[in-house]
Amino acid sequence: MPEKEVVLTVLFFAKAKDLSGTVQSTITLKSPIDYSSLLNTVVNQFNLNPLRHSLILALNEEYLEDSQQVLDLNNNDCLAIIPPISGGTYLINTIKVPY
Amino acid sequence: MDTEEAVRKVAQLKEKIRQLKEDLTNAETELETILEDRAFKSRPTDGASVRDDTIRRDVSNERDTNGAGQRGAHSTDSQVGDPASPEEIHREPNNVNQTTESDNPNGPVKVEDDCVWYGEVYSKFSKDITERYSRQILLDQVGVMGQEKLLNASVLIVGCGGTGSPCIQYLAASGVGTLGLADYDRVELSNLHRQVIHTTHTIGQPKVTSAKRFISAINRNTIVHAYQTLLDTSNACDIIRRYDVVVDACDNAPTRYLLNDACLREGRPLVSASALGLEGQLCVYNYKGGPCYRCIYPVPPPAETVGTCGDNGVLGPVPGVMGTLQAVETIKLLIGLPVMDKLLVYDAELSKFLSVKLRKKKEDCVCAHPADTQLVDYEVFCSSRANDKTPDISILDPTEHLTALDYRDEFLARRVAHTLLDVRSVDEFAMMSLNIASHATMADVQLMFAEAGECPAFLESLREDILAHRHVFVICRRGNDSQKVVQLLKRYVERHRPGVVYDIRNIKEGYKGWQKYVDNRIPTY
């Protein structure tokens, strides 16, 4: 695969919307790229660190597996970031005063 | 009760069941013989054809029994029953098709079983059942076979809330024979905008009771088992085992993981839906070699990133959409149609559905060896509670709290100069607030009393207003967030107003406390 620079559309869902502060954005990446580099770049660029381990990355509506396999990206590919939706409240000992 | 006694009891009961089953089989055989015999005797001797203007009521206790064998026996005879039989009701021939059970008390006898003969006509189901489900039996994808599967099916619905409501409604209406309902909660007024099976008349009742009442109003044939309990590791497997399919309509992460693991253990498919705000997700897990919830979301989200309907709000129809889709997939699954093998994400804000093609089972996931699945403490695993209720917390010294009653008596009644700072959201403040309160959101407060950084001019003047009085009390919805603000304010005045003594306290339990102890006319939400 030839190395190239691509621009992807990024869609945010649920809590990822709150953390990134937007519903849709774009990201410039080098292709090919492996899963963990892709995750890292997206998480860092959009402030998604609290959700790092609990989100689905879906490339063109297909679940991306956490594997070594490199991904060949193209311009205008769509990357969706989907955390789980579920209610539930804090356990007392997990409450932190953030300031 | 010791173990031995319990074991003995189980053995005794099993033996009893075995005997009863045997008796039932014998009785059924006997009944079959009698019916065949009667059909034979009633054969007309002159061979003339006879109108089916007589209705015979057959007695049959089991839905499934009698099917093919009796059909054969009767469909070959084309004649009426014995006119002397008390079980027959004669009607005017022309009324056969117009008379219904309700408007003619002498009309056809109401039938509970599904194998009934109208003269020589064979009907798979009773009149009531045939008519009720005809519009869905007519579908190629359902048919008589599909309807029979539904009537014999049992579904456990966990959660009788926003997603559970339409799901229960459609499953009951479309004839799923047995529904199990699990919910620990009671109906509140603030549930009604989305939990549409509950009504103002059932406020305060357990949700399962309210749901049961609803079901009996739309379909009294549905058998309902209500479990008014929070599912946990001690009871989940025992309950799940009794049902064919589990519908996850719960509102929290711990229960979701619990249901996943228990369904793995018991080999039950899990139709899972969730909704919050303006978004929802739907997926069928643990079905035909597909992934489980843990394959997709192996790590629960950190508790502080998780919202609740109680705190974050939810648009009424959004869980309705998800619960309805959930009912569709459940029905498809029960009648053997291919179900959705994708994760469906609904974004009501953008009016968009996204369906994500899922991965295969994860090799190192617990679902690789489902029988070995061990249930764990899911509240600890998710660091969150298995209910939608926010616990009351205290991070302050007892002296830093002021009860709503004391606040009223010592400050409002005596007209002591003070600041009441309301730190809820703009909409919550607009919805209801004490007249005397100043308002600043948590975000504003963090800017105003930050250790460093820029503070907009309008907030600076607000900060001066707040600190103009020596008594500053902070109030919020439940008295949790306000405690953090008390800490922040104290730190700020220590640094920036040295030598000035401030009395900064938290209004205990917030507006909830005010409602509870001072004025119950204000709305709770």
Side-chain angles (χ1 to χ4, degrees), chain B residues 166-180:
Chain B
C167 193
I168 290 167
Q169 182 174 0
Y170 278 115
L171 292 183
S174 49
V176 173
T178 307
L179 294 179

Side-chain angles (χ1 to χ4, degrees), chain A residues 13-15 17 50-51 53-54 56 58 61-63 65 82-91 94-95 97 99, chain B residues 251 274 279 281 296-297 299-308 347 354-355 357 359 384-385 389 442 446 491:
Chain A
F13 291 92
K15 194 69 191 174
K17 269 186 196 168
L51 288 174
H53 302 290
S54 322
I56 293 178
E61 307 206 349
E62 195 161 333
Y63 185 98
E65 287 187 38
I82 310 166
I85 296 180
S86 49
T89 43
Y90 313 142
L91 275 185
T94 64
I95 295 197
V97 181
Y99 34 81
Chain B
D251 61 2
S274 53
E279 278 185 57
Q281 290 181 11
I296 307 300
Y297 292 117
V299 181
E304 63 268 21
T305 68
V306 173
T308 72
D347 187 331
L354 185 78
S355 55
K357 193 172 165 230
R359 58 168 302 143
S384 63
R385 284 182 182 267
K389 313 278 181 249
M442 289 295 281
Q446 288 184 52
R491 237 173 286 162

Side-chain angles (χ1 to χ4, degrees), chain B residues 240-506:
Chain B
I240 282 172
R241 202 173 297 137
R242 300 175 207 167
Y243 296 89
D244 303 328
V245 179
V246 178
V247 164
D248 164 14
C250 74
D251 61 2
N252 64 82
T255 305
R256 239 173 261 289
Y257 282 96
L258 166 71
L259 288 178
N260 181 66
D261 292 1
C263 283
L264 285 179
R265 258 182 85 126
E266 302 300 331
R268 296 292 186 270
L270 178 64
V271 185
S272 179
S274 53
L276 192 66
L278 281 93
E279 278 185 57
Q281 290 181 11
L282 174 75
C283 195
V284 182
Y285 296 110
N286 194 32
Y287 185 60
K288 294 210 166 156
C292 77
Y293 188 67
R294 282 179 186 269
C295 295
I296 307 300
Y297 292 117
V299 181
E304 63 268 21
T305 68
V306 173
T308 72
C309 295
D311 288 342
N312 297 32
V314 56
L315 190 69
V318 173
V321 169
M322 302 321 292
T324 307
L325 290 169
Q326 199 172 21
V328 173
E329 293 306 321
T330 306
I331 290 171
K332 280 163 63 188
L333 194 154
L334 289 173
I335 62 181
L337 293 172
V339 302
M340 190 185 63
D341 54 357
K342 292 179 174 177
L343 170 74
L344 189 72
V345 181
Y346 174 46
D347 187 331
E349 200 177 354
L350 304 178
S351 309
K352 200 184 284 193
F353 279 100
L354 185 78
S355 55
V356 177
K357 193 172 165 230
L358 285 179
R359 58 168 302 143
K360 293 202 177 61
K361 272 186 179 184
K362 217 172 148 192
E363 279 145 29
D364 55 350
C365 181
V366 283
C367 66
H369 305 284
D372 300 341
T373 312
Q374 294 297 317
L375 303 188
V376 299
D377 186 330
Y378 293 91
E379 293 199 335
V380 170
F381 175 64
C382 299
S383 342
S384 63
R385 284 182 182 267
N387 63 43
D388 192 9
K389 313 278 181 249
T390 307
D392 292 327
I393 56 162
S394 181
I395 54 175
L396 299 177
D397 191 80
T399 60
E400 295 174 301
H401 290 293
L402 179 64
T403 64
L405 214 51
D406 288 348
Y407 168 64
R408 184 195 64 182
D409 295 345
E410 290 170 25
F411 294 91
L412 288 180
R414 294 187 189 165
R415 298 178 181 274
V416 177
H418 68 278
T419 304
L420 180 68
L421 176 62
D422 187 326
V423 294
R424 296 171 304 151
S425 72
V426 175
D427 286 316
E428 286 176 285
F429 187 73
M431 200 154 66
M432 171 274 295
S433 65
L434 281 168
N435 280 343
I436 196 172
S438 317
H439 179 244
T441 62
M442 289 295 281
D444 289 345
V445 168
Q446 288 184 52
L447 280 174
M448 269 190 280
F449 301 101
E451 308 235 347
E454 288 287 299
C455 174
F458 78 97
L459 285 181
E460 270 180 21
S461 71
L462 179 59
R463 181 172 65 202
E464 294 316 309
D465 289 347
I466 291 167
L467 297 177
H469 300 291
R470 296 296 148 81
H471 298 287
V472 181
F473 308 119
V474 189
I475 192 165
C476 68
R477 181 179 174 189
R478 297 195 183 91
N480 291 344
D481 280 346
S482 51
Q483 299 183 39
K484 300 172 193 167
V485 178
V486 167
Q487 287 188 333
L488 195 66
L489 273 164
K490 287 201 157 181
R491 237 173 286 162
Y492 181 85
V493 296
E494 260 172 41
R495 251 189 342 265
H496 296 275
R497 307 286 157 99
V500 188
V501 180
Y502 275 97
D503 167 28
I504 301 170
R505 280 186 279 176
N506 172 50

Side-chain angles (χ1 to χ4, degrees), chain B residues 21-85:
Chain B
K21 273 188 181 161
E22 210 177 288
D23 291 350
L24 178 65
T25 317
N26 291 339
E28 277 168 3
T29 320
E30 206 173 319
L31 176 68
E32 225 163 279
T33 322
I34 293 170
L35 289 174
E36 273 171 26
D37 202 35
R38 206 162 62 172
F40 180 76
K41 276 185 194 157
S42 63
R43 187 186 296 266
T45 44
D46 58 1
S49 76
V50 185
R51 274 195 66 96
D52 58 331
D53 57 352
T54 342
I55 302 294
R56 169 189 287 170
R57 181 186 188 190
D58 276 317
V59 187
S60 160
N61 295 322
E62 274 271 310
R63 247 193 227 129
D64 260 352
T65 53
N66 306 336
Q70 289 193 359
R71 177 174 192 166
H74 285 262
S75 55
T76 49
D77 312 328
S78 54
Q79 44 292 101
V80 293
D82 177 5
S85 165

